């Protein structure tokens, strides 16, 4: 099969399209003919050699895809050859075929075509598991989403709004702030020109927000804690602002706050299957009813994978960049 390979970890020029052996369906797995994959920020790190795949996962980049079931392994009962699906992957999306545990496969939501569906699995699973399954955001609560115009942010805003929460978000340009408002954000804050703690405090009469979905890590830890309400929950999913920071435990304790941090990719197959099942039950109906739409910035053919990485590296996109195969 044709797939993206990496000559030496490094810059965009490290990405090549070459030939690799076709994957086979092991017990409990299906093989998909891939229609599209999506570029995730983690792919940029893996390309640079900083985010190796978990043990046993494909070395090929790509944490999600859509396509058609081409083969089923022993013990797979839920899927058959010819089904159109999308899937959460530990790797392997940037190729013509990929093997994936059957529990990580989702049907296409009704009304979503097979290419567009590649924009959903990673963001839906990440947002649903962190904001709702772990942080337990409720309808009468407030959520602050950092990076609201990103792949994660565009889904987090729509999901939280659809479920009745008041949504605050940060973004880096007037156009992206406007896009966040169109997606349902009640308060959109420029992370370049405004202090999000001040805005959150002002808008909540000093109370703070109940849940924060954070992509920045170290750089925002102290300010996130300041912006958090009593009994607030900070869900960290990214380290774009660094790995190490000092934490004022006294402040966390006084607020009776909680901080969690998770990586979806490294979770055991059973945990991923549980998240995927929960997404199918709770998120897919919202997509089918039109309350949550996959936001696609660009479709880039596999042969132009370098351009796809450049778009994400330069932060040009609103929503997802898809790689079409
Ligand atoms: N832990 C997990 O399981 C998991 C899973 C998926 C993704 N992630 C992480 O989640 C993060 C977002 O992923 P993504 O796919 O949405 O990436 P993305 O589409 O590339 O978005 C990155 C976002 O970061 C925002 N940003 C940059 N500097 C910022 C700042 N100083 N303050 C606030 N926001 C800032 C950007 O805002 P502008 O575009 O407006 O400048 C953009 O919205 C990444 O760090 C990714 O690695 C984690």
């Amino acid at each position: 099969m044709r797939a993206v390979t990496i000559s030496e970890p490094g810059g965009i020029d490290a990405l090549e399209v070459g030939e690799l052996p076709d994957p086979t369906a092991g017990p409990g797995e299906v093989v998909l003919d891939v229609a599209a994959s999506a570029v995730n920020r983690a792919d940029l790190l893996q390309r640079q050699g900083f985010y190796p795949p978990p043990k046993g996962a494909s070395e090929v980049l790509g944490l999600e895809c859509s396509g058609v079931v081409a083969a089923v392994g022993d013990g797979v009962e839920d899927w058959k050859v010819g089904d159109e699906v999308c899937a959460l992957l530990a790797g392997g999306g940037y190729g013509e075929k990929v093997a994936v545990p059957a529990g990580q496969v989702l049907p296409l939501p009704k009304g979503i075509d097979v290419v567009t569906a590649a924009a959903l699995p990673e963001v839906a699973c990440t947002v649903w598991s962190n904001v709702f399954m772990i942080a337990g955001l409720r309808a009468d609560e407030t959520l602050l989403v950092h990076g609201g115009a990103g792949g994660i942010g565009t889904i987090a805003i729509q999901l939280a709004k659809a479920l009745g929460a008041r949504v605050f978000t940060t973004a880096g340009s007037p156009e992206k702030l406007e896009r966040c408002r169109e997606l349902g954000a009640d308060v959109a804050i420029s992370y370049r020109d405004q202090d999000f703690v001040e805005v959150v405090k002002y808008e909540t009469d000093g109370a703070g927000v109940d849940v924060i979905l954070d992509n920045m890590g170290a750089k925002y830890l102290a300010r996130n804690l300041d912006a958090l309400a009593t009994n607030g929950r900070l869900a960290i999913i990214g380290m774009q602002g660094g790995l190490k920071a000092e934490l004022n435990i006294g402040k966390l304790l006084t607020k009776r706050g909680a901080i969690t941090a998770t990586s979806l990719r490294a979770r055991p197959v059973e945990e991923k299957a549980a998240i995927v099942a929960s997404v199918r039950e709770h998120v897919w109906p919202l997509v089918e009813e039109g309350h949550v739409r996959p936001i696609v910035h660009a479709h880039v053919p596999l042969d132009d994978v370098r351009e796809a990485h450049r778009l994400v590296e330069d932060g040009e996109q609103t929503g997802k960049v898809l790689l079409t195969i």
Side-chain angles (χ1 to χ4, degrees):
M1 66 165 182
R2 296 177 75 244
V4 173
T5 58
I6 296 174
S7 43
E8 274 290 308
I12 281 172
D13 292 348
L15 298 166
E16 311 271 359
V17 178
E19 283 291 329
L20 289 177
D22 285 359
T24 52
E29 289 183 339
V30 301
V31 168
L32 307 181
D33 280 331
V34 177
S37 186
V39 179
N40 280 280
R41 208 144 261 278
D43 304 344
L44 313 185
L45 293 176
Q46 184 172 338
R47 186 199 75 215
Q48 292 161 348
F50 298 130
Y51 192 46
K55 210 164 166 250
S58 168
E59 294 283 328
V60 175
L61 301 182
L63 299 177
E64 58 193 328
C65 75
S66 57
V68 179
V69 176
V72 296
D74 288 346
V76 175
E77 289 173 359
D78 296 339
W79 307 107
K80 60 180 190 318
V81 171
D83 285 345
E84 286 191 321
V85 297
C86 56
L88 180 69
L89 308 173
Y94 289 22
E96 288 176 330
K97 288 178 183 288
V98 67
V100 54
Q104 289 168 220
V105 177
L106 287 147
L108 300 190
K110 282 186 204 72
I112 302 295
D113 66 83
V114 71
V115 170
T116 306
L120 283 171
E122 175 77 11
V123 288
C125 290
T126 302
V127 173
W128 182 255
S129 60
N130 281 279
V131 176
F132 295 91
M133 295 172 76
I134 298 174
L137 181 73
R138 296 189 304 269
D140 58 349
E141 290 191 317
T142 44
L143 170 70
L144 169 61
V145 180
H146 285 302
I152 292 282
T154 50
I155 292 296
I157 292 171
Q158 295 183 78
L159 252 181
K161 274 314 280 182
L163 293 169
R166 185 174 181 219
V167 179
F168 293 70
T169 194
T170 55
S173 71
E175 297 74 29
K176 290 189 176 185
L177 289 164
E178 188 46 37
R179 199 74 182 92
C180 292
R181 288 188 199 97
E182 286 165 12
L183 290 171
D186 298 283
V187 181
I189 306 162
S190 165
Y191 67 72
R192 295 190 201 278
D193 307 321
Q194 290 175 287
D195 177 355
F196 69 82
V197 180
E198 266 177 29
V199 179
V200 160
K201 287 281 173 70
Y202 176 79
E203 291 283 343
T204 58
D205 294 329
V209 285
D210 299 301
V211 174
I212 300 176
L213 182 63
D214 176 65
N215 58 329
M216 296 303 291
K219 186 174 173 188
Y220 277 5
L221 183 64
R223 290 164 72 204
N224 277 336
L225 191 48
D226 286 339
L228 214 54
T230 302
N231 293 315
R233 291 87 74 197
L234 167 61
I236 301 175
I237 59 163
M239 299 173 289
Q240 288 169 235
L243 302 179
K244 293 187 181 172
E246 210 168 85
L247 174 68
N248 184 335
I249 295 170
K251 210 176 263 184
L252 184 65
L253 192 144
T254 310
K255 289 196 174 186
R256 303 188 291 284
I259 301 177
T260 58
T262 63
S263 155
L264 188 55
R265 187 188 202 185
R267 288 192 181 210
V269 169
E270 304 73 39
E271 282 185 30
K272 287 187 197 169
I275 292 169
V276 164
S278 190
V279 162
R280 184 173 177 172
E281 182 184 350
H282 299 285
V283 179
W284 257 215
L286 296 171
V287 177
E288 293 179 350
E289 288 159 17
H291 300 299
V292 175
R293 288 172 296 125
I295 306 298
V296 176
H297 180 80
H299 297 79
V300 180
L302 185 73
D303 284 324
D304 296 332
V305 60
R306 292 179 181 178
E307 170 61 8
H309 270 224
R310 190 198 63 73
L311 282 171
V312 175
E313 204 147 83
D314 292 352
E316 285 181 21
Q317 85 283 13
T318 296
K320 303 283 287 191
V321 172
L322 297 188
L323 265 186
T324 53
I325 294 166

